[in-house]
């Protein structure tokens, strides 16, 4: 019989389940953005699910989202024009995220930024976010935190990912945690 728990249990219970079922994994999310700071917004959201599957979608910015930082575009390689042509509406993206992630706690390595960008997405969509967002740091011991960046770089190199995509970044985060635990 499997272990049954709600995702809002205290973290130590989640960690016990992880230790008891070492092949289980957490869900990770990564958000690419138009830049950093005031006025920036999400342009791509990617997730890595516990079963190893990934999902990714571009976000078509509504007209009032006008901030654009060319240096951010150099990093993620996604043009504003590409978003306008290939992106999904903020409502569609918010609904997709809720469908994929409802009831889960989803982890990120950039909680401060990602929580703001997701809040902006859901606020603009006019719907409630149906999943919790937390920092991966809450899953790591102090020792594991010291090796996070080094391990992440090794994982990125070993995966040999050709494109910088949010889903690839989420997968790297997930595999980094797995390597450290």
């Amino acid at each position: 019989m499997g272990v049954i728990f709600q995702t809002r249990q205290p973290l130590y219970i989640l960690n016990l389940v992880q230790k008891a079922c070492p092949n289980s994994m957490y869900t990770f999310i990564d958000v690419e953005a138009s830049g950093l700071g005031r006025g920036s917004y999400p342009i791509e959201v990617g997730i890595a699910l516990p079963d190893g599957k990934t999902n990714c979608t571009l976000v078509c910015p509504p007209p009032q989202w006008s901030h654009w930082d060319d240096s951010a575009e150099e990093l993620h390689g996604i043009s504003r024009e590409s978003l306008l042509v290939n992106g999904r509406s903020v409502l569609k993206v918010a609904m997709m995220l809720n469908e994929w992630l409802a009831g889960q706690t989803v982890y990120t390595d950039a909680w401060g930024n990602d929580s703001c960008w997701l809040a902006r997405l859901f606020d603009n969509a006019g719907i409630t976010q149906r999943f919790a967002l937390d920092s991966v740091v809450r899953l790591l011991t102090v020792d594991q935190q010291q090796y996070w960046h080094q391990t992440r770089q090794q994982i990125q190199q070993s995966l040999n990912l050709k494109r910088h995509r949010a889903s690839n970044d989420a997968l790297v985060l997930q595999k980094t945690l797995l390597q450290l635990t």
Side-chain angles (χ1 to χ4, degrees):
M1 182 198 278
V3 177
I4 299 173
F5 63 93
Q6 294 179 355
T7 58
R8 298 303 296 165
Q9 292 290 334
L11 189 60
Y12 71 91
I13 292 176
L14 294 177
N15 287 334
L16 288 174
V17 170
Q18 178 68 25
K19 286 180 176 135
C21 306
N23 293 327
S24 66
M25 185 43 59
Y26 297 100
T27 301
F28 278 83
I29 193 166
D30 184 70
V31 181
E32 299 297 330
S34 64
L36 294 173
R38 189 179 190 104
S40 64
Y41 51 86
I43 64 163
E44 182 183 45
V45 183
I47 60 170
L49 298 169
D51 63 5
K53 292 180 183 171
T54 60
N55 288 308
C56 197
T57 187
L58 296 174
V59 181
C60 181
Q64 67 271 26
W65 290 5
S66 58
H67 175 273
W68 192 258
D69 184 338
D70 291 333
S71 62
E73 181 178 339
E74 287 177 30
L75 176 66
H76 51 62
I78 302 168
S79 70
R80 184 168 169 84
E81 293 75 26
S82 177
L83 297 173
L84 295 172
V85 172
N86 301 310
R88 293 182 166 108
S89 73
V90 294
L91 177 59
K92 178 66 175 170
V93 173
M95 290 170 60
M96 290 169 69
L97 289 172
N98 277 344
E99 180 182 329
W100 294 333
L101 306 172
Q104 297 184 54
T105 298
V106 181
Y107 293 91
T108 176
D109 70 336
W111 184 86
N113 290 327
D114 290 351
S115 62
C116 291
W117 292 323
L118 288 171
R120 187 160 194 194
L121 177 82
F122 279 90
D123 183 56
N124 195 275
I127 64 173
T128 301
Q129 180 178 309
R130 303 268 181 225
F131 58 93
L133 187 68
D134 206 346
S135 174
V136 68
V137 171
R138 297 217 338 118
L139 300 174
L140 301 171
T141 66
V142 173
D143 289 338
Q144 291 167 337
Q145 289 176 37
Q146 293 175 353
Y147 294 103
W148 177 264
H149 294 289
Q150 174 187 347
T151 304
R152 181 178 176 186
Q153 286 178 332
Q154 291 169 350
I155 297 291
Q156 278 180 300
Q157 290 172 351
S158 72
L159 291 175
N160 196 26
L161 301 169
K162 303 294 183 206
R163 292 177 35 174
H164 183 105
R165 297 302 303 252
S167 57
N168 288 344
D169 289 352
L171 182 63
V172 167
L173 297 176
Q174 187 183 65
K175 289 189 176 296
T176 301
L177 178 66
L178 185 59
Q179 181 71 32
L180 288 171
T181 55

